[in-house]
């Protein structure tokens, strides 16, 4: 089962497989963080947001809209990620 510990396996494998010349370390670190970002929605439980709420676990943060917004934000900072 995928977990917050195993999600970074894909970007790490891509980074190790292609080498740091193709995928800069900053981009690799951000990709690992982005892979666990949707599962940080478990913090909502601390604020009383129920599991089945659209903002609960596997709600908005697991949507295609969230993924596109995250990708757009990364695109805005792409120049800094190439260093």
């Amino acid at each position: 089962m995928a977990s917050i510990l195993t999600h970074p396996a894909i970007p790490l494998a891509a980074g190790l497989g292609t080498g740091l010349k193709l995928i800069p370390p900053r981009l690799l670190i951000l990709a690992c963080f982005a892979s666990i970002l949707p599962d940080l929605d478990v913090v909502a439980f601390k604020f009383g947001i129920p599991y089945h709420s659209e903002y609960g676990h596997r709600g908005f943060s697991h949507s295609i809209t969230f993924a596109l917004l995250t990708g757009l934000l990364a695109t805005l900072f792409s120049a800094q990620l190439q260093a």
Side-chain angles (χ1 to χ4, degrees), residues 17-42:
T18 60
L20 295 178
K21 290 183 180 179
L22 185 60
I23 300 177
R26 285 184 190 174
L27 181 58
L28 186 57
I29 291 168
L30 183 66
C32 289
F33 177 74
S35 72
I36 64 170
L37 184 62
D39 283 336
L40 293 179
D41 59 5
V42 296

Side-chain angles (χ1 to χ4, degrees), residues 66-83:
F66 184 81
L68 291 171
L69 290 172
T70 303
L72 179 62
L73 185 63
T75 301
L76 295 174
F77 293 99
S78 63
Q80 290 85 0
L81 296 174
Q82 297 300 320

Side-chain angles (χ1 to χ4, degrees), residues 37-41 54-63 66-67:
L37 184 62
D39 283 336
L40 293 179
D41 59 5
E54 67 182 68
Y55 296 108
H57 190 56
R58 303 201 193 282
F60 175 70
S61 69
H62 283 74
S63 69
F66 184 81

